Amino acid sequence: MAKFQISRRKFLTASGLGLSGIALSGCDAFDSGLGIGGSLRSFLENANGLTWRAQRLIAGRDALAPEFTEADIRQPQRPNGSTAPDDDTYKGLLANNFADWRLEVSGLVEKPLSLTREQLQNMPSRTQITRHDCVEGWSCIAKWTGTPLSLVLDQAVVKPQARYVMFHCLDTIEQSLSGDIKYYGTIDLIDARHPQTILAYGLNGKPLPVENGAPLRVRVERQLGYKMPKYISKIDLVDSFANVGGGRGGYWEDNGYDWYGGI
């Protein structure tokens, strides 16, 4: 019998379609067919797109993720991904308590922005107690405070042709022959304008810690943790992400994860 091998990335892709039974049958043909560009992966990705649209139809554009009480917060927010960026630019910003940090908003907008953390904190805020669900299988409830992303988009005046919000981050997630690869991710404008999508600068009543993404991270509460980039420095409004990175809409998506990542 062929040796069973399946990574959690491949399982995520298959389980998004309810195909875990096929995956657990285990075969090398299935394993290799899930490679980027493979025919089986293309089939699964098309079905993932159908699942995304079906979820939108059933749940609605503004359906809220569950929110909890402070009594449900029983442990510190567990960090995910990078926890201490080893980048000179980030270290310099951190040393000055992010006084020189700016959030740049550009791309398909009428009014490009360059916002300080203080300017963001002076905008209307939202606080929500929600559950973070990680693709690794763990969950954690925490209280997040931040600026609704929709307010920033309104201030920048998004152009009609824009379809996606792209987040560029300060942390180097990988090094290649062509240089450092920074973390990035995308969501569509429907999720970007969702009432629970915030640019978070506070966690459990305190400033956002470095390990959780300081000075700024996005919270997209109806999606998995990898869809919530940390250490954000720039937001681009784009009509396509085909020519960025691996062309799949995010660092982990370029490495096999589902683009939508909904829960």
Side-chain angles (χ1 to χ4, degrees):
M1 180 177 178
K3 182 180 178 181
F4 168 63
Q5 290 181 318
I6 185 166
S7 71
R8 58 189 174 92
R9 296 176 189 167
K10 295 171 183 175
F11 182 77
L12 175 66
T13 303
S15 62
L17 297 173
L19 293 179
S20 57
I22 298 175
L24 292 174
S25 66
C27 69
D28 291 337
F30 183 83
D31 193 67
S32 61
L34 282 171
I36 299 296
S39 58
L40 181 55
R41 170 170 285 279
S42 296
F43 169 78
L44 295 178
E45 286 174 344
N46 288 336
N48 275 332
L50 179 61
T51 301
W52 163 43
R53 286 186 273 280
Q55 182 172 345
R56 282 273 171 74
L57 179 65
I58 295 170
R61 296 161 66 107
D62 294 328
L64 299 179
E67 296 195 17
F68 301 85
T69 70
E70 294 203 6
D72 296 308
I73 303 173
R74 295 170 184 160
Q75 63 187 71
Q77 172 64 34
R78 179 175 172 178
N80 64 308
S82 301
T83 57
D86 189 20
D87 294 85
D88 290 340
T89 298
Y90 183 84
K91 289 178 179 178
L93 292 169
L94 175 61
N96 199 24
N97 195 29
F98 302 108
D100 300 322
W101 172 88
R102 298 291 184 274
L103 175 66
E104 306 292 336
V105 183
S106 60
L108 296 174
V109 297
E110 299 287 352
K111 299 178 180 179
L113 304 175
S114 181
L115 302 171
T116 66
R117 186 167 58 167
E118 184 179 9
Q119 286 175 313
L120 282 169
Q121 291 173 342
N122 286 336
M123 294 176 70
S125 66
R126 176 184 172 92
T127 295
Q128 57 203 29
I129 301 176
T130 53
R131 187 183 66 219
H132 180 103
D133 292 303
C134 182
V135 66
E136 295 175 339
W138 55 266
S139 298
C140 194
I141 293 173
K143 179 168 69 173
W144 303 92
T145 299
T147 305
L149 178 55
S150 61
L151 297 182
V152 174
L153 299 181
D154 289 343
Q155 188 170 328
V157 187
V158 178
K159 293 182 178 181
Q161 61 266 43
R163 297 180 59 200
Y164 305 101
V165 175
M166 179 172 290
F167 304 98
H168 297 276
C169 305
L170 290 166
D171 55 324
T172 297
I173 194 74
E174 185 181 337
Q175 292 181 324
S176 69
L177 294 177
S178 58
D180 292 346
I181 297 175
K182 302 287 187 179
Y183 198 91
Y184 81 102
T186 58
I187 57 175
D188 66 20
L189 280 171
I190 293 176
D191 280 316
R193 292 190 176 280
H194 187 274
Q196 290 174 312
T197 299
I198 63 174
L199 298 172
Y201 47 73
L203 173 61
N204 291 336
K206 298 179 180 179
L208 186 67
V210 168
E211 60 267 26
N212 295 113
L216 197 71
R217 73 172 299 165
V218 65
R219 294 295 305 172
V220 191
E221 302 297 354
R222 299 192 302 177
Q223 293 178 290
L224 291 166
Y226 69 88
K227 296 297 296 185
M228 308 187 205
K230 305 190 295 185
Y231 315 113
I232 297 172
S233 63
K234 183 179 179 180
I235 291 175
D236 265 337
L237 276 295
V238 299
D239 60 358
S240 171
F241 44 70
N243 296 320
V244 179
R248 304 174 69 84
Y251 173 79
W252 282 116
E253 291 88 331
D254 290 342
N255 286 277
Y257 279 21
D258 174 35
W259 174 76
Y260 184 55
I263 53 176

